[in-house]
Amino acid sequence: MNVFYEESGTFKVGSVLADNMTSLHVEASHGKRSKIKASSVLLRFEVPPLYEFMHQAQQVAAELDTDFLWEYCADSEEFSSHTLAADYFGHTPSPVEVAAIMILLNSAPMYFYRKGQGRYKAAPPEALRAALASQEKKRLEAELHARYKQQLSDFSLPEEFKPHLDDLLYKPNKSTVEWKALESVCTATKLSVPKLLEKCGAIASTHDYHFNLFLREHFPDGTAFDIPDIEFAYVDHDDLPVADVSAFSIDDATTTEIDDAFSVSLLPMGSFRIGIHIAAPALGIAPGSLLDQIAAKRLSTVYLPGQKITMLPEKTIDSYTLSEARLCPALSLYLEVADDFTVTSTYSRIEKIKIIANLRHDALEQQFNENTLRKNLTNYPFAQELSLLWNFSRKMEIQRGKENDANNEKIDYSFFVEQERIIIQERRRGSPIDRVVSELMIFANTEWGKQLADAGIAGIYRSQNSGKVRMSLSPAPHQGLGVAQYAWSSSPMRRYVDLINQRQLIALLTDSTPPYSKDSDDLLISMRDFEQVYGIYNEFQRSMERYWCLRWLIQENIQITGAQVLKENLVKFDRIPLITRVSSLPDLSPGTQVKLEISQIDLLECTLNTKFLHKEHI
């Protein structure tokens, strides 16, 4: 006796060696013996021979029409495969025919639901339609997947990918067939998604790839200011007094957010008055207004070579920037200074300031520098005022204990991008221009921080202890600057912290209730958010400067360069602010000049290969 039985969802046949009522010992045609449950047996047969049974049953099953069988059974309740075989073949079915029916029913689970012991039920029409549609969808997806893989493997971008490129690059839906094909080819080629898409011609601009990656994460709604025109309305501030001074600003050539300007007025007995004038957008941007909410979300202007994302809309900046030939609202700090450059008194005012010039670094540095100061040359605009400010700045450095500050010898870099061409210029940080502007800003931020603290008005302070810089709502020393307290207040159009502090200062000067109390949640949230976001923005600026440094190396066809060892295998390139590791660098002392060979610059990954050539002999 032979049996046709089911084991683990698979049909098998075997000859019965022993029948123990509830279980059987069977032997397969290839000799393997098994113990099976009696309930697993679906058919018992003598002929055909065991070794031919499955072959004949599968041949018969291959000739059966699944759709016909489903239509025949569609209106039936649960049915037996034996009954269906008798109806289909029109006679008492042979064991092979019954087995063929079972094989067909079992292989079409969308059409027939298994009920056990050779019984089935036809799937309802709507369920079958849904299952067939799903099957067709999977078939089409499989075809798409195969085609996408082939095209991507040939480094050809499928047309269907084009509308989804941003999502695939920055925020992929990993359930899509496009992503699955892309991921599969990346695994096979050992390429990252951006590198593979670049090879397929999908990334037209490596710069835009990096920039858009940043925007996707931090400006998902775009950089435009979607607010009504009424929010941009400029307040005339006609009630403000006009100061009897003429002020000038000192900024980089590309600066449009001119936050600060200076004036110098001569007084009797060799003394003079310095005015530090800060743009006052806090006079027109009310706390909680739509414009304020946007500024509170952005928290700072984002800078990168060739462009920037401003904290405030251009119309608002135009209203408050300290542009020349205009009367501009300002928060002014006046310093009465003796002839030995000692500050004898200070006072603050809210007023309008006449801006008579916007001086720019590139032009001013040709006239106002160490050489012209040493020779006492005065044949350029504002020479007397700048000379007084220079001497005052040197006195302030001494008072702060920073007269020999090593930072003054460091090099800063300016990036200019013109029609995809990059220009990188070196500037020594401790130039007279830098030292004048920085000392006046340090004085203002220190003094206004002190005034807020003395008046018991909340403010946001920046402190430094043991090299660690942090922000807090309590005044604390800033060791790096050598001051007792420091509250950013000098860039209210570019930093939200400064805008908050300016509001508090205006309340102090007008004897009104400050917008923020010491236990204000808004103040604490703004401080914490700013500290996090400001770090992210600065890191992005550094990464884009690295990108443009690599672009400059390609542009200038630099293959051999000088560099200075910083530590271990870390070096800084000459002429540009590019720092990288050189694995082939021998053990050299920091400060050693070396020559490097450059190769394989990758603008997408922002990497390059460098090879140590030799040590420079100076």
Side-chain angles (χ1 to χ4, degrees):
M1 175 65 68
N2 301 318
V3 291
F4 175 75
Y5 64 96
E6 184 179 6
E7 185 178 65
S8 301
T10 302
F11 292 134
K12 297 180 180 180
V13 292
S15 62
V16 179
L17 300 177
D19 189 342
N20 300 318
M21 300 298 289
T22 59
S23 66
L24 291 83
H25 281 84
V26 299
E27 183 180 57
S29 58
H30 51 71
K32 181 181 178 182
R33 296 185 176 187
S34 305
K35 181 180 180 181
I36 64 172
K37 293 180 180 179
S39 58
S40 300
V41 176
L42 302 172
L43 290 171
R44 294 173 183 261
F45 63 94
E46 294 288 348
V47 292
L50 187 66
Y51 63 88
E52 290 185 6
F53 185 89
M54 287 298 292
H55 177 68
Q56 291 184 20
Q58 288 168 348
Q59 280 187 320
V60 174
E63 297 174 357
L64 300 177
D65 187 331
T66 305
D67 289 318
F68 173 79
L69 288 176
W70 177 82
E71 289 177 4
Y72 181 80
C73 302
D75 297 329
S76 304
E77 292 297 325
E78 186 178 310
F79 59 89
S80 164
S81 51
H82 288 75
T83 303
L84 180 60
D87 292 345
Y88 183 82
F89 291 106
H91 57 254
T92 300
S94 69
V96 167
E97 289 172 331
V98 175
I101 288 289
M102 289 185 188
I103 290 172
L104 183 280
L105 297 176
N106 212 55
S107 66
M110 290 186 297
Y111 288 82
F112 303 100
Y113 300 156
R114 297 175 59 189
K115 297 298 181 179
Q117 288 294 309
R119 300 187 65 78
Y120 295 85
K121 184 179 187 311
E126 62 276 7
L128 178 59
R129 284 195 296 270
L132 290 173
S134 176
Q135 183 184 54
E136 178 64 9
K137 180 181 178 182
K138 289 178 181 178
R139 184 188 68 80
L140 293 174
E141 283 189 355
E143 289 181 358
L144 271 180
H145 186 269
R147 175 165 67 82
Y148 288 163
K149 279 184 63 178
Q150 184 59 55
Q151 288 180 265
L152 291 169
S153 297
D154 294 337
F155 301 127
S156 173
L157 185 72
E159 191 68 26
E160 295 89 341
F161 276 48
K162 292 181 180 178
H164 309 294
L165 280 176
D166 278 0
D167 289 333
L168 290 170
L169 279 169
Y170 306 124
K171 195 175 181 180
N173 179 350
K174 296 188 178 182
S175 65
T176 63
V177 64
E178 289 84 4
W179 173 258
K180 291 175 182 177
L182 189 61
E183 187 178 41
S184 177
V185 177
C186 284
T187 300
T189 59
K190 294 182 171 56
L191 294 173
S192 66
V193 169
K195 287 300 293 182
L196 177 58
L197 289 176
E198 182 189 36
K199 277 183 167 291
C200 294
I203 299 178
S205 166
T206 51
H207 173 276
D208 290 350
Y209 164 74
H210 294 295
F211 186 59
N212 291 336
L213 177 62
F214 173 78
L215 293 184
R216 269 284 182 139
E217 185 171 358
H218 301 289
F219 291 84
D221 299 324
T223 59
F225 291 89
D226 185 20
I227 57 179
D229 282 345
I230 190 171
E231 290 288 337
F232 296 115
Y234 171 63
V235 181
D236 287 332
H237 306 296
D238 290 334
D239 55 329
L240 295 179
V242 177
D244 186 22
V245 296
S246 297
F248 58 90
S249 65
I250 304 174
D251 290 283
D252 188 88
T254 60
T255 300
T256 57
E257 301 156 288
I258 304 176
D259 282 301
D260 50 79
F262 316 106
S263 63
V264 178
S265 304
L266 300 180
L267 301 175
M269 307 296 293
S271 62
F272 58 98
R273 179 189 303 116
I274 296 175
I276 303 173
H277 312 287
I278 305 300
L283 293 172
I285 303 175
S289 65
L290 184 55
L291 189 53
D292 178 59
Q293 292 174 38
I294 291 174
K297 185 176 181 181
R298 296 197 175 195
L299 292 164
S300 172
T301 291
V302 184
Y303 293 96
L304 63 154
Q307 62 189 118
K308 61 184 175 181
I309 305 170
T310 58
M311 182 180 77
L312 297 174
E314 185 177 349
K315 289 182 180 179
T316 303
I317 293 170
D318 289 344
S319 297
Y320 289 97
T321 189
L322 303 182
S323 296
E324 64 184 18
R326 283 175 51 180
L327 278 175
C328 303
L331 179 59
S332 298
L333 174 64
Y334 287 100
L335 292 58
E336 300 283 349
V337 184
D339 57 359
D340 64 349
F341 302 101
T342 300
V343 177
T344 58
S345 65
T346 65
Y347 58 93
S348 301
R349 286 180 178 172
I350 305 169
E351 57 192 4
K352 283 187 174 181
I353 294 294
K354 180 169 62 177
I355 308 297
I356 59 174
N358 292 141
L359 306 180
R360 301 297 182 175
H361 285 173
D362 52 351
L364 181 58
E365 201 151 20
Q366 304 302 314
Q367 303 166 327
F368 178 52
N369 53 55
E370 289 95 334
N371 185 49
T372 58
L373 286 167
R374 186 170 54 253
K375 294 180 179 179
N376 199 27
L377 299 179
T378 59
N379 57 341
Y380 56 90
F382 305 101
Q384 184 179 19
E385 291 89 340
L386 289 168
S387 178
L388 287 171
L389 292 177
W390 166 246
N391 288 312
F392 172 76
S393 299
R394 293 176 66 191
K395 179 67 174 281
M396 293 301 100
E397 284 181 338
I398 293 171
Q399 287 187 357
R400 294 190 300 111
K402 302 295 177 179
E403 65 272 24
N404 296 313
D405 194 344
N407 285 327
N408 288 338
E409 299 305 316
K410 290 185 178 180
I411 300 296
D412 282 331
Y413 295 85
S414 298
F415 289 76
F416 303 95
V417 181
E418 299 174 358
Q419 298 180 344
E420 292 295 298
R421 182 173 177 81
I422 180 71
I423 299 172
I424 304 176
Q425 295 179 347
E426 293 180 302
R427 290 184 64 253
R428 187 165 60 82
R429 186 178 296 179
S431 69
I433 290 176
D434 288 347
R435 292 165 73 177
V436 163
V437 173
S438 64
E439 284 302 324
L440 293 174
M441 293 302 98
I442 291 170
F443 191 98
N445 291 326
T446 301
E447 175 61 23
W448 276 333
K450 181 177 183 299
Q451 290 182 18
L452 289 176
D454 290 347
I457 294 176
I460 298 178
Y461 295 87
R462 193 169 174 85
S463 61
Q464 185 187 52
N465 185 21
S466 300
K468 183 175 177 58
V469 178
R470 62 185 295 268
M471 305 193 78
S472 69
L473 302 181
S474 302
H478 193 298
Q479 294 177 345
L481 296 176
V483 296
Q485 69 286 311
Y486 189 76
W488 263 344
S489 312
S490 54
S491 294
M493 290 191 294
R494 294 183 278 184
R495 294 188 299 239
Y496 193 67
V497 165
D498 300 55
L499 184 64
I500 286 176
N501 284 337
Q502 187 175 84
R503 286 172 175 156
Q504 301 294 83
L505 287 165
I506 290 172
L508 172 63
L509 296 176
T510 57
D511 197 24
S512 56
T513 302
Y516 309 95
S517 63
K518 290 184 177 180
D519 57 354
S520 167
D521 287 340
D522 289 342
L523 197 64
L524 182 61
I525 291 170
S526 293
M527 180 191 73
R528 290 178 176 175
D529 288 351
F530 176 85
E531 195 161 21
Q532 179 182 17
V533 166
Y534 197 64
I536 292 171
Y537 291 175
N538 283 338
E539 179 59 33
F540 175 60
Q541 179 179 352
R542 286 190 291 270
S543 69
M544 291 309 295
E545 287 179 354
R546 178 180 179 83
Y547 168 84
W548 282 109
C549 284
L550 296 177
R551 282 280 295 266
W552 182 85
L553 291 172
I554 296 173
Q555 170 188 293
E556 302 298 319
N557 194 28
I558 305 294
Q559 298 175 10
I560 306 293
T561 185
Q564 184 182 69
V565 178
L566 299 180
K567 61 178 181 179
E568 299 174 350
N569 62 352
L570 198 67
V571 303
K572 180 201 166 293
F573 282 31
D574 293 344
R575 295 186 287 172
I576 56 175
L578 180 62
I579 296 174
T580 191
R581 294 193 179 277
V582 182
S583 58
S584 59
L585 192 74
D587 187 12
L588 297 172
S589 301
T592 303
Q593 288 293 132
V594 296
K595 281 289 185 183
L596 305 175
E597 181 181 34
I598 301 169
S599 63
Q600 296 181 344
I601 296 176
D602 188 328
L603 295 177
L604 202 61
E605 303 288 347
C606 283
T607 59
L608 77 165
N609 285 351
T610 52
K611 178 183 176 183
F612 170 74
L613 295 178
H614 58 79
K615 187 171 78 169
E616 293 272 59
H617 298 286
I618 301 175

